[in-house]
Amino acid sequence: MSNLSAGAEQARSQHQKLTRLKFIRRIFFMIVGSALFSVGLEIFLVPNNIIDGGVVGISIIVSHLTKIPLGVFLVILNLPFLLLGYKQIGKTFAISTLFSVVLMSIGTSLLHPVQAITIDPLLAAVFGGIILGIGVGLVIRSGGSLDGTEIVAIVFSKKSPFSVGEIVMFFNFFILASAGFVFGWDHAMYSLIAYYIAFKMIDITIEGLDQSKAVWIISDESDKIGDTITSRLGRGVTYLKGEGAFTGDDKKVIFSVITRLEEAKLKSILDELDPKAFLAIGNIHDVKGGRFKKKDIH
């Protein structure tokens, strides 16, 4: 699932009436995210002729060629995608995105006269990408978006064999390549660096630094392993019923959620209790509810 898809799903799941505290928290992070995005653009990327992908990248190029303020194009070029998002994804998502885009436009206009912190394009690409990614991640976690191209990608993916990520990459390839003709190929390569860093920072911001991992374990010592995970890792476990496809034997599958810092310790527990145990570990974006909260270890 792409980042925008995650934001859209989050917006849909929050369609029920929000409490005042949750509403204020959501607005706060949209404001902070939009402000950080504006800083990344106007203090780092734009002064060094480095672009981002999507509508933002197109807006930077068109603004440079026409000398019209960037904020104008950020709103105008996103509007068609917002209308599409309203019809295809939902009202809450579209309103959240519109609010964030308008804030971003205002932020870029206010920060445009501010002098760039660095004129080194590599430093600008790295730090601009970091700040940009954090800003986008905060907005997505709040149920919105700052770029409309992924809305089109979501719609196209329903009628084509390509995934949302592949379609977005296709769009951004041409957008980033256009930077080579407008700003020079060295700046196009710096733009690619900024885009990659921003992409990674979006994931980190959405998932958190302390990433959760889902764990499935199949072993003849499942009870002993489950008790050890609870006592030594402080994590709750759930036993699932399974059946071996080849043998037809009943299997007890252990399911748990740990952090990446606990992964090595879990593997050492399995090596100690059942070295032949089957272990599968997968990354998950978020954990909420249930009894997955870490218990004190005595």
Side-chain angles (χ1 to χ4, degrees), residues 41-42 46 56 59-60 63 68-75 105 108:
L41 281 181
E42 288 291 353
V46 174
V56 175
S59 299
I60 294 174
S63 175
I68 296 175
L70 173 62
V72 174
F73 292 107
L74 289 174
V75 174
S105 175
T108 55

Side-chain angles (χ1 to χ4, degrees), residues 124-193:
V126 171
F127 286 94
I130 291 173
I131 296 172
L132 228 66
I134 295 174
V136 173
L138 289 175
V139 172
I140 290 175
R141 289 194 66 159
S142 301
S145 176
L146 287 171
D147 194 285
T149 50
E150 287 192 7
I151 298 175
V152 178
I154 290 173
V155 176
F156 282 173
S157 67
K158 296 177 181 178
K159 302 177 181 180
S160 71
F162 302 105
S163 68
V164 173
E166 289 171 338
I167 295 172
V168 170
M169 187 176 294
F170 178 78
F171 285 155
N172 286 330
F173 172 79
F174 287 100
I175 294 170
L176 293 171
S178 299
F181 294 101
V182 178
F183 301 116
W185 293 107
D186 54 342
H187 289 278
M189 288 185 280
Y190 286 126
S191 297
L192 186 60
I193 293 172

Side-chain angles (χ1 to χ4, degrees), residues 86-123:
Y86 178 83
K87 295 180 180 179
Q88 298 291 331
I89 301 176
K91 178 181 177 181
T92 303
F93 172 76
I95 293 175
S96 300
T97 300
L98 177 61
F99 177 71
S100 301
V101 168
V102 170
L103 287 176
M104 174 179 64
S105 175
I106 295 173
T108 55
S109 299
L110 293 175
L111 291 172
H112 186 68
V114 179
Q115 187 174 1
I117 290 179
T118 178
I119 57 173
D120 185 319
L122 181 58
L123 289 176

Side-chain angles (χ1 to χ4, degrees), residues 257-268:
V257 174
I258 63 173
T259 67
R260 61 179 179 178
L261 300 178
E262 296 166 334
E263 183 178 340
K265 192 170 183 180
L266 173 67
K267 290 179 178 178
S268 69

